[in-house]
Amino acid sequence: MKVIKNINNNVSLCLDSQGREVVAFGKGIGFTKPPYEVPLSQIQRTFYNIDESYLSVLVAIPEEMLNVAAEIYDYGNRKMNNCFSSNVVFTLADHIRFAIKREEENISIKLPLFYEVQNLYPEEIEIGIYALKLINERFNVHLPKEEAASITLHFVGYGLHNGSYSGKDEKIIMDQCTEIVEQMMEIHIDKKSFNYSRFLTHLHYLLDRVKHNKTINTENGKVYEELKKQYPKTYECVKRIEAFLTIELNDEERLYLILHINRLCSYEDYFQ
């Protein structure tokens, strides 16, 4: 296997024997300056079909977080018959990084209610419970029980194989929402960026929740009101998207749209 780019000491971007790009994990494979051939015996695990936008965030994620995310991904696929895309390893590692950062910096944001998510996703919640236990043990932290619900929603929102945007009607909707954000926030969005990919995925599952009358309700009312006042321009952008979609969102859904749009505008990076 040919290493073409080192991500950290033990993770590299490679080409397999058929010329396909693959993210490879292996002890010490990132020590040598690429390009070079690495023995398959040194490769511990590989991930194919990784979205290019996710690769840019890997250098900022500690290696152990990647390993823990990979273990959670393996557990999730065993539980759910391999229904999750390998991209979730990298988005989950990023999610874990920010969850621990919030804990260390005492940043308080209400998380989804555990029992509500358990009722909506009774099978997937077992992944969140397993993940929370593993994260708390490996990183010696004490993330709250509700973080299991947040991780569950992360898998539902970012990990499914069928979470693509191939449908013609949905692509039109996504493109129009993107145009609304660019016009109202006066920015040019990098369509290959990690934050844009997460924005699209959030929209996809927001529409799916509305379609199936599954709404998330937590106790983030105060946070929503604060952000609404702090970012009036972003709030108006959310309202414009809501009008375009001809749906009425609850405050919780509006809150998360504000957070995702702010990420696109490089505002509060610690929000998830």
Side-chain angles (χ1 to χ4, degrees):
M1 187 173 287
K2 184 178 182 180
V3 175
I4 58 174
K5 181 180 180 181
N6 290 328
I7 295 169
N8 59 43
N9 290 342
N10 302 306
V11 182
S12 296
L13 181 65
C14 303
L15 294 178
D16 68 8
S17 59
Q18 300 179 30
R20 296 175 298 176
E21 283 194 350
V22 54
V23 174
F25 285 36
K27 189 173 182 179
I29 66 172
F31 278 120
T32 304
K33 184 178 179 180
Y36 73 96
E37 293 291 331
V38 61
L40 291 180
S41 59
Q42 201 173 339
I43 304 297
Q44 296 173 341
R45 60 189 307 151
T46 56
F47 298 97
Y48 283 87
N49 302 315
I50 302 302
D51 190 307
E52 183 180 347
S53 65
Y54 297 160
L55 298 178
S56 62
V57 304
L58 293 186
V59 293
I61 299 175
E63 184 180 324
E64 182 60 16
M65 288 185 185
L66 286 170
N67 291 331
V68 167
E71 288 184 47
I72 297 168
Y73 162 78
D74 288 342
Y75 176 85
N77 267 338
R78 289 196 300 270
K79 294 288 294 183
M80 303 295 293
N81 298 316
N82 295 310
C83 73
F84 296 113
S85 162
S86 56
N87 284 307
V88 78
V89 173
F90 308 106
T91 60
L92 178 61
D94 189 56
H95 179 96
I96 294 169
R97 177 168 67 104
F98 279 104
I100 293 175
K101 181 180 179 182
R102 287 196 302 267
E103 173 80 3
E104 292 174 343
E105 298 181 2
N106 294 315
I107 296 171
S108 178
I109 179 171
K110 290 292 184 180
L111 297 169
L113 296 177
F114 179 87
Y115 293 108
E116 185 170 78
V117 175
Q118 185 180 44
N119 288 332
L120 286 172
Y121 305 104
E123 294 182 280
E124 291 88 342
I125 193 68
E126 294 184 23
I127 303 172
I129 294 170
Y130 171 85
L132 179 61
K133 184 175 184 293
L134 187 63
I135 292 166
N136 282 339
E137 289 177 354
R138 291 289 179 85
F139 301 107
N140 194 27
V141 294
H142 300 282
L143 300 181
K145 179 181 180 181
E146 287 74 18
E147 187 62 48
S150 183
I151 292 171
T152 298
L153 293 178
H154 183 94
F155 268 86
V156 172
Y158 299 115
L160 297 176
H161 279 298
N162 60 5
S164 64
Y165 307 99
S166 56
K168 181 179 178 181
D169 292 341
E170 187 164 304
K171 184 180 185 308
I172 292 172
I173 290 173
M174 298 298 173
D175 288 346
Q176 185 61 49
C177 288
T178 300
E179 187 175 330
I180 290 171
V181 174
E182 287 187 319
Q183 289 178 352
M184 293 202 65
M185 305 307 294
E186 300 179 290
I187 61 172
H188 174 72
I189 296 173
D190 179 1
K191 306 302 191 299
K192 295 182 179 180
S193 71
F194 179 67
N195 286 338
Y196 181 61
S197 177
R198 295 189 70 172
F199 171 71
L200 291 183
T201 306
H202 178 77
L203 279 180
H204 174 83
Y205 284 96
L206 183 153
L207 294 174
D208 185 70
R209 287 193 296 273
V210 170
K211 179 180 178 181
H212 294 95
N213 198 30
K214 288 185 175 183
T215 56
I216 301 300
N217 296 296
T218 68
E219 299 175 3
N220 279 320
K222 290 184 179 179
V223 176
Y224 169 69
E225 291 300 328
E226 290 174 5
L227 290 183
K228 181 179 170 181
K229 293 176 183 177
Q230 188 174 357
Y231 300 110
K233 193 173 182 180
T234 312
Y235 171 71
E236 288 303 320
C237 184
V238 168
K239 295 297 290 182
R240 180 74 66 84
I241 291 174
E242 191 173 349
F244 165 70
L245 296 175
T246 64
I247 56 178
E248 185 174 353
L249 302 176
N250 64 15
D251 289 349
E252 186 74 15
E253 297 286 8
R254 291 180 186 132
L255 167 65
Y256 283 104
L257 262 183
I258 289 174
L259 296 179
H260 278 282
I261 293 171
N262 278 357
R263 284 178 69 103
L264 287 174
C265 299
S266 299
Y267 286 157
E268 305 294 340
D269 288 342
Y270 56 77
F271 283 118
Q272 281 290 286

